Amino acid sequence: MNRLLILPVLLLTLLVGPPAFAANFEQEHLAARSGDKASFQKGYAAAQGGDYATALRELGPLAERGNAFAQYSLGLMYANGNGVPQDDKAAADWYRLAAKQGYGPAQSNLGGMHRKGLGVPQDYKAAAKWYRLAAEQGYGAAQFNLGAAYADGKGISKNYIYAHMWFNIAASNGDKEAVEIRATLAKRMTPSQLKKALILARECVAKNYKGC
């Protein structure tokens, strides 16, 4: 089976992204400056260990006070039903709060929610927007998903050159799935298209993923 035909399934599996509760140290520093470092560290450790009741108790107040990592963490908990009832709308709401602060993992996950219509109206254009914002920060799952959006033309004009470029970048950042799909996509491209995609990928990395 052509791998590109199953891209929507792959995208669903990447909603959470790697790893689920990876702390952003900028957020930890913000928590420290606001006097919340102890709660941040306790909540983060609890989430990593699967103690979601403690994670909710510690991270919930931080999320309410605007800590983006805590907001993202609550989004994950609601999306997966960890320590709280599973609730896609609540997950999307928390992701959006963190995403608007520029937190890449939340932007990527919110893009996935829009793509699948989970807790929000299905909106491929919004999905591509959030994927791009996260991809520009170097977030590999979003780079993969933006490549997929270009490959299937949902929410953005279909363009195999840009699809290959983003899959190539995601692959260079360690995404094994992107390696396989990049190879499949290359078979659909002309030599000149492939050459251009490789040049654009190098330029994009040189620009730190901005304006690609």
Side-chain angles (χ1 to χ4, degrees):
M1 179 186 295
N2 190 311
R3 293 299 299 276
L4 291 179
L5 297 179
I6 60 172
L7 282 177
V9 176
L10 292 175
L11 288 167
L12 181 59
T13 68
L14 289 174
L15 281 175
V16 173
F21 286 94
N24 180 302
F25 290 103
E26 180 181 352
Q27 293 298 323
E28 183 175 5
H29 295 156
L30 288 173
R33 287 200 296 272
S34 63
D36 291 325
K37 184 174 182 179
S39 292
F40 182 99
Q41 292 179 333
K42 188 174 181 180
Y44 171 63
Q48 288 283 65
D51 181 0
Y52 298 111
T54 298
L56 181 63
R57 184 173 64 250
E58 299 295 332
L59 295 176
L62 271 66
E64 295 286 354
R65 291 197 289 274
N67 183 279
F69 171 75
Q71 292 168 340
Y72 165 71
S73 298
L74 261 61
L76 284 174
M77 291 169 69
Y78 277 106
N80 296 312
N82 292 329
V84 293
Q86 200 282 331
D87 186 335
D88 287 331
K89 184 180 184 305
D93 288 343
W94 283 115
Y95 285 151
R96 179 170 282 102
L97 289 172
K100 285 183 176 180
Q101 295 193 65
Y103 191 53
Q107 292 172 334
S108 182
N109 284 16
L110 183 58
M113 302 291 275
H114 275 292
R115 184 178 178 93
K116 286 295 178 180
L118 298 174
V120 292
Q122 189 173 51
D123 185 338
Y124 294 118
K125 187 174 181 179
K129 165 196 164 182
W130 289 113
Y131 286 151
R132 182 177 297 281
L133 288 171
E136 288 181 346
Q137 295 188 59
Y139 192 63
Q143 293 168 343
F144 176 100
N145 287 340
L146 186 56
Y150 273 114
D152 63 24
K154 290 186 175 180
I156 198 166
S157 298
K158 180 181 286 189
N159 188 311
Y160 283 173
I161 292 174
Y162 281 104
H164 188 282
M165 180 195 79
W166 281 113
F167 282 133
N168 197 20
I169 291 169
S172 71
N173 285 328
D175 192 315
K176 295 180 180 179
E177 204 74 62
V179 174
E180 297 178 21
I181 296 180
R182 177 186 61 186
T184 300
L185 184 60
K187 296 175 182 178
R188 293 190 171 191
M189 300 168 65
T190 66
S192 62
Q193 288 177 323
L194 187 56
K195 180 179 179 180
K196 184 174 182 180
L198 294 172
I199 291 172
L200 288 174
R202 288 195 294 271
E203 291 176 347
C204 186
V205 172
K207 294 188 294 185
N208 200 27
Y209 313 119
K210 303 295 191 296
C212 301

